[in-house]
Amino acid sequence: MIGKNYISLLRENILFKDLEEEKLAGFLTAFQEEIWPKNTCNITKTPTLFKFYIIAEGRVKIYRVDPESAREFTLFLLKKNDIFDVLCLLENCEHKVFYETLDEATLLSVPIKIMREWIVKYPQINKSLLPYMGKQIRILEEYTSNVVLSDISSRLAKLILTNINKKSKKLELINDLSNDELANLIGSTRAVVNRHLQQFKKDGILKISRKKVEITNLELLLKQAEKNHFSG
Amino acid sequence: MIGKNYISLLRENILFKDLEEEKLAGFLTAFQEEIWPKNTCNITKTPTLFKFYIIAEGRVKIYRVDPESAREFTLFLLKKNDIFDVLCLLENCEHKVFYETLDEATLLSVPIKIMREWIVKYPQINKSLLPYMGKQIRILEEYTSNVVLSDISSRLAKLILTNINKKSKKLELINDLSNDELANLIGSTRAVVNRHLQQFKKDGILKISRKKVEITNLELLLKQAEKNHFSG
DNA sequence: AAACAAATACTACGTAAGTAGCATTGGATC
DNA sequence: GATCCAATGCTACTTACGTAGTATTTGTTT
């Protein structure tokens, strides 16, 4: 059982938002609060085969690693109210990915068995899963599309653009990541990302300081996102 | 209304398989049979915004095109009993992809509005959509993973390997595709794919004739799939 | 303030993959 | 069987990317 202050979290969660207030309180009794320190990896933690997680705070990356080259790339960058792992939830087989916290993260966990019972019992949850998965498919299609059709500088520009908060006009979610993590997000390597960041800086597109990116010329950034050596 | 011979098709369809026989017959009255000639593209056809399709025969590729470079790449290669477009079904917004038949194809179409009503009315359909989408997510994750972490020869080898029928040991689904279409499937170009196919031939891995690939040494092909210049 | 580690910056180099252009082949069509 | 077109095969060239190695910066710890 965990604190009632998490009800407002569930109320905004894509899976639970359509359920009545009393039900939500009931659900909370099954959840457990877990604090994962920064850089906690799922290899050393209870695997997602047995627990289903909701992120209450912090960021978690879902990533793959090529065992030979040790190169890593990030499939999803999860934030508050994101959930994992849906694939393990649906099928009892392993999902060949790793999880790692980028910050100290607060997670709500529930035994995956119970979560499965809920899906059967509450059609709303089942129904809500569809648009969630649809969104993931769209993200992955876009990701693949970019990796195949766009060069690194274009992908880097797009990555930055999609993480600009429309209201504040500031870079969010990825603004404090190292060059290494940025590279993982676009399927490249640290050195190459840095090379392009330096070029962006020279071009007056952005300012960089340690683990910090600030856009100074949005228009040029947009152009950079479209520019592509594959095209004429 | 279409022929009753399609009942057996629905009985094997991932979305309809759990429904009673009488219901299936009822469903069929809403379907329309459409014959799409080879290379029919959805741009010239009724868009997927209004109809939902089941493939009865033939292959359909879902692909994207980079408008500038005109480079194309295939996201999914659909075959008998595959369905499209699930994303349009879930959300009323456009799915930024194209469809094109690789053979003359027979499709069953139903107005997307009716399909949506069925989803609400029959929870089995709703429930069946989840594993279907889960599978798509897995495919896309693997796709992205390969494009980022593996070189072309490795991707080409993997593409061939995943399309070998386990029983007949023969190449299926993609065995009669042009180098161009093979390139689209791994995110590359005709000339490069051909270059690697020639090398595979030299290495005694396979025999090639026009629009035909035959594996002669499976073991070497497996090695080729693992070999990767990104790794040490 | 000194020491340290981590992140970033920069240079140099090798190479797979993309592109262009053309030759050759094979299967259809007339 | 002559013609035609699309698919394949091949050569030559360019380049963005990845890697390696090292220098420099920056922020934190002692």
Side-chain angles (χ1 to χ4, degrees):
Chain A
M1 172 79 185
I2 55 172
K4 284 197 177 175
N5 48 326
Y6 284 125
I7 283 198
S8 62
L9 188 80
L10 290 192
R11 212 186 289 129
E12 287 165 19
N13 188 278
I14 190 164
L15 293 191
F16 297 97
K17 63 177 166 44
D18 295 330
L19 291 160
E20 299 82 7
E21 197 82 0
E22 319 92 71
K23 292 241 178 71
L24 291 184
F27 282 139
L28 276 183
T29 62
F31 279 104
Q32 199 107 37
E33 185 186 67
E34 295 186 21
I35 310 282
W36 287 21
K38 190 172 175 172
N39 299 324
T40 308
C41 184
N42 67 323
I43 308 173
T44 58
K45 273 273 182 184
T46 317
T48 45
L49 278 170
F50 305 114
K51 286 186 187 177
F52 185 76
Y53 294 94
I54 301 175
I55 300 177
E57 217 182 320
R59 290 169 297 181
V60 177
K61 63 172 174 177
I62 306 188
Y63 66 104
R64 288 208 181 197
V65 179
D66 181 44
E68 292 196 51
S69 67
R71 260 188 73 181
E72 178 182 326
F73 88 106
T74 305
L75 281 165
F76 297 101
L77 185 52
L78 305 181
K79 56 179 189 299
K80 187 183 172 183
N81 245 330
D82 277 325
I83 55 184
F84 66 98
D85 184 295
V86 174
L87 293 198
C88 292
L89 181 68
L90 295 179
E91 306 166 57
N92 212 354
C93 64
E94 203 189 352
H95 187 196
K96 277 169 61 178
V97 294
F98 299 107
Y99 301 88
E100 191 179 318
T101 52
L102 293 181
D103 318 288
E104 177 180 280
T106 310
L107 304 176
L108 305 190
S109 75
V110 60
I112 214 158
K113 216 178 130 196
I114 292 182
M115 189 64 202
R116 289 208 185 101
E117 288 168 15
W118 287 348
I119 293 181
V120 176
K121 203 168 169 189
Y122 305 101
Q124 296 104 313
I125 299 182
N126 191 335
K127 203 180 157 189
S128 299
L129 268 171
L130 294 179
Y132 183 82
M133 292 177 77
K135 212 170 117 191
Q136 284 204 309
I137 290 177
R138 278 175 202 274
I139 292 172
L140 283 172
E141 284 185 0
E142 197 64 34
Y143 199 153
T144 319
S145 183
N146 278 332
V147 172
V148 172
L149 301 175
S150 304
D151 58 26
I152 304 277
S153 60
S154 170
R155 271 140 67 191
L156 183 58
K158 281 176 186 165
L159 174 72
I160 295 170
L161 281 169
T162 55
N163 284 286
I164 293 176
N165 184 301
K166 280 170 190 168
K167 283 182 190 169
S168 69
K169 305 266 182 189
K170 293 264 169 113
L171 192 60
E172 281 182 7
L173 194 64
I174 61 159
N175 57 334
D176 61 344
L177 295 183
S178 65
N179 293 177
D180 234 323
E181 290 296 347
L182 291 177
N184 293 342
L185 282 166
I186 57 172
S188 181
T189 57
R190 189 197 70 73
V192 178
V193 162
N194 184 263
R195 186 185 297 160
H196 289 290
L197 282 176
Q198 297 306 323
Q199 190 57 48
F200 285 7
K201 194 169 77 174
K202 268 187 199 162
D203 296 343
I205 297 174
L206 40 78
K207 278 187 205 168
I208 12 182
S209 44
R210 168 166 283 222
K211 284 199 175 194
K212 198 113 206 166
V213 171
E214 196 189 331
I215 296 121
T216 54
N217 192 326
L218 192 63
E219 228 170 289
L220 280 177
L221 185 60
L222 282 161
K223 266 187 199 164
Q224 190 60 250
E226 296 311 313
K227 203 193 293 180
N228 194 342
H229 83 272
F230 288 128
S231 315
Chain B
M1 172 79 185
I2 54 172
K4 284 196 178 177
N5 47 326
Y6 283 125
I7 283 199
S8 62
L9 188 80
L10 290 192
R11 213 186 288 126
E12 287 164 21
N13 188 277
I14 190 165
L15 292 191
F16 297 97
K17 64 178 165 40
D18 295 330
L19 291 160
E20 300 82 6
E21 197 82 359
E22 320 92 70
K23 292 242 178 73
L24 291 183
F27 281 139
L28 276 183
T29 61
F31 278 104
Q32 200 109 35
E33 184 187 68
E34 295 186 22
I35 310 282
W36 287 21
K38 190 172 175 171
N39 298 324
T40 307
C41 184
N42 66 323
I43 308 172
T44 58
K45 273 274 181 184
T46 316
T48 45
L49 278 170
F50 305 114
K51 287 186 187 176
F52 186 75
Y53 294 94
I54 300 175
I55 300 178
E57 216 182 319
R59 290 169 297 181
V60 177
K61 63 172 174 179
I62 306 188
Y63 65 104
R64 288 207 182 199
V65 178
D66 181 46
E68 292 196 50
S69 67
R71 260 188 73 181
E72 179 181 325
F73 87 106
T74 306
L75 282 164
F76 297 102
L77 186 52
L78 305 180
K79 56 181 188 298
K80 187 183 173 183
N81 245 330
D82 277 325
I83 55 185
F84 66 98
D85 183 292
V86 174
L87 292 197
C88 292
L89 181 69
L90 294 179
E91 305 167 58
N92 211 355
C93 65
E94 203 189 351
H95 187 196
K96 276 170 62 178
V97 294
F98 299 107
Y99 301 88
E100 191 179 317
T101 51
L102 292 182
D103 319 287
E104 179 179 279
T106 310
L107 304 176
L108 305 191
S109 76
V110 59
I112 214 158
K113 217 180 129 194
I114 292 182
M115 189 65 202
R116 288 208 186 102
E117 288 168 15
W118 287 348
I119 293 180
V120 176
K121 205 168 169 187
Y122 305 102
Q124 295 104 313
I125 299 182
N126 192 335
K127 205 179 157 190
S128 300
L129 268 171
L130 294 179
Y132 183 82
M133 293 177 77
K135 213 170 115 191
Q136 285 203 308
I137 290 177
R138 278 176 202 273
I139 291 172
L140 283 172
E141 284 185 358
E142 197 63 35
Y143 199 153
T144 320
S145 183
N146 278 332
V147 172
V148 171
L149 301 175
S150 305
D151 58 26
I152 304 279
S153 61
S154 170
R155 270 142 66 192
L156 183 57
K158 281 175 186 165
L159 175 70
I160 295 170
L161 281 169
T162 53
N163 284 287
I164 293 177
N165 185 301
K166 280 170 192 168
K167 284 182 191 169
S168 69
K169 304 266 183 191
K170 294 263 168 114
L171 193 60
E172 281 180 8
L173 194 65
I174 61 159
N175 57 335
D176 61 345
L177 295 183
S178 65
N179 292 348
D180 235 323
E181 289 297 347
L182 291 176
N184 293 343
L185 282 165
I186 58 172
S188 181
T189 56
R190 185 196 72 74
V192 178
V193 162
N194 184 265
R195 187 185 297 160
H196 288 290
L197 282 176
Q198 297 306 323
Q199 190 56 48
F200 285 7
K201 195 168 76 175
K202 267 186 200 163
D203 296 343
I205 297 175
L206 40 77
K207 277 187 204 168
I208 10 182
S209 44
R210 170 165 282 223
K211 284 198 176 195
K212 197 115 206 165
V213 171
E214 196 188 333
I215 295 122
T216 53
N217 192 326
L218 191 63
E219 228 170 288
L220 280 177
L221 185 60
L222 282 162
K223 266 187 200 164
Q224 190 61 249
E226 296 312 315
K227 204 192 292 179
N228 194 343
H229 83 273
F230 287 128
S231 316

